[in-house]
Amino acid sequence: MSSPDIKLELQGPVAIVRLARPSKRNAISDGLILGIRDLFEKLPGSVRAVVLDGEGEHFCAGLDLSELKERDAGGGLHHSRMWHAALETVQFGPAPVIAALHGAVVGGGLELAAACHIRVADETAFYSLPEGSRGIFVGGGGAVRIPRLIGEARMADMMFTGRVYDAREGERVGFAQYLVPAGQAFDKALELAQRVAANAPLTNYALMHALPRIAEQPADQGFLTEALMAAIAQSAPEAKSRVRDFLEGRGAKVKKS
Ligand code: 1HE
């Protein structure tokens, strides 16, 4: 199911995915969450990295509250599971996703950002979980993903007290890995996506699919998963040619930034 509220543009190996419902601050309706799922499921095989952006002054205002009808427990369960399925296609889709954050990154918008692999925020970004004050709970995977970014105590505080983190605090506590001047999040995210797209595909696969699983495994299983993934990655012809390039003086050296 495609949604008119999400747009896809291809720039070589980088896909630019844009939430396109600025009049509603990119609030996520059922149609839009299904549109996100379908778009990520059907990304062309040539895509090596994705930039996720939002049109207008805000990245995303979260769940479309106008659709929050009286649901029975079963309806609520299935609604939340629909979000989970959609955001799984973002996290475990074909390519790493770099979110370009500005303005409101709130509620389900923050849950969407948390499913991405790198978050770049500009100085206008702010983070909030208004579910606490609306009498509801997160339902888009936030209870799992957000504590992994900022810790459970900070997430609970946000929901108990309505605390809003500004862009600087957000970078300090771990919402975003990059903080850039106002208006520059998209350009920075695109620059990073181009770099990510140039990695060996198996390295990106390991970072997307092995690393988060290893984080959940007991250490002895994690070490084994790491070793298996390392063995597979280094056996690829691409790894061999990249290492040979370095040893023969053609590969880039590591430089201080
Ligand atoms: C919306 C939504 C929305 C805006 N659902 N319509 N999320 C929230 O509780 C956040 C609610 N939104 C806000 O706090 C503010 O709108 C913003 C800080 C994001 C932006 O403020 P502003 O002044 O730029 O815009 P606005 O005037 O508040 O909104 C413009 C329009 O968008 C307006 O509609 P209009 O028809 O009067 O023009 C708003 O009603 C509409 N709008 N946000 C529906 N969220 C998987 S579970 C996840 C659970 C959650 O995400 S709960 C948190 C929901």
Side-chain angles (χ1 to χ4, degrees):
M1 184 185 139
S2 64
S3 163
D5 296 331
I6 188 163
K7 292 182 186 161
L8 170 67
E9 183 196 326
L10 297 176
Q11 278 194 21
V14 177
I16 295 157
V17 176
R18 199 163 269 136
L19 305 177
R21 206 186 173 209
S23 65
K24 295 291 178 189
R25 309 312 185 239
N26 298 320
I28 300 179
S29 60
D30 287 0
L32 180 49
I33 197 72
L34 291 173
I36 291 172
R37 183 197 67 187
D38 290 355
L39 187 146
F40 276 88
E41 268 177 356
K42 294 185 188 129
L43 278 176
S46 57
V47 170
R48 295 276 173 264
V50 179
V51 174
L52 176 64
D53 191 19
E55 268 184 20
E57 282 175 27
H58 301 280
F59 173 71
C60 177
L63 178 72
D64 185 330
L65 292 168
S66 70
E67 289 186 350
L68 193 70
K69 311 173 200 87
E70 286 295 316
R71 289 193 186 99
D72 62 12
L77 173 75
H78 290 304
H79 181 261
S80 172
R81 298 298 285 157
M82 176 171 79
W83 272 67
H84 292 165
L87 298 196
E88 285 258 312
T89 65
V90 176
Q91 183 176 0
F92 297 117
V97 184
I98 296 100
L101 306 177
H102 65 287
V105 184
V106 307
L110 181 49
E111 296 185 284
L112 171 60
C116 299
H117 302 89
I118 300 176
R119 282 158 295 279
V120 179
D122 83 8
E123 279 167 353
T124 68
F126 57 96
Y127 309 89
S128 153
L129 290 170
E131 289 90 336
S133 66
R134 311 236 185 265
I136 53 179
F137 188 57
V138 284
V144 172
R145 294 192 183 97
I146 294 171
R148 292 194 178 140
L149 297 179
I150 63 166
E152 183 193 325
R154 284 199 185 94
M155 176 174 173
D157 173 39
M158 288 174 80
M159 294 192 70
F160 277 133
T161 68
R163 179 170 181 171
V164 178
Y165 281 93
D166 69 20
R168 273 175 201 286
E169 291 169 325
E171 194 242 355
R172 179 178 57 78
V173 299
F175 278 127
Q177 292 100 321
Y178 295 85
L179 178 62
V180 296
Q184 294 184 19
F186 176 78
D187 288 350
K188 181 68 184 177
L190 185 58
E191 175 201 321
L192 293 172
Q194 282 157 349
R195 255 192 264 168
V196 168
N199 286 340
L202 267 180
T203 301
N204 286 347
Y205 182 89
L207 290 170
M208 290 177 68
H209 295 273
L211 193 60
R213 268 73 181 223
I214 291 169
E216 311 212 332
Q217 290 179 323
D220 64 335
Q221 291 175 21
F223 290 135
L224 181 62
T225 308
E226 178 190 78
L228 293 171
M229 194 66 244
I232 292 168
Q234 76 190 27
S235 72
E238 175 132 17
K240 298 203 184 311
S241 71
R242 285 174 183 238
V243 171
R244 197 178 327 108
D245 281 351
F246 174 76
L247 294 174
E248 294 173 3
R250 293 187 299 273
K253 288 190 191 185
V254 178
K255 289 194 218 96
K256 276 199 276 182
S257 54

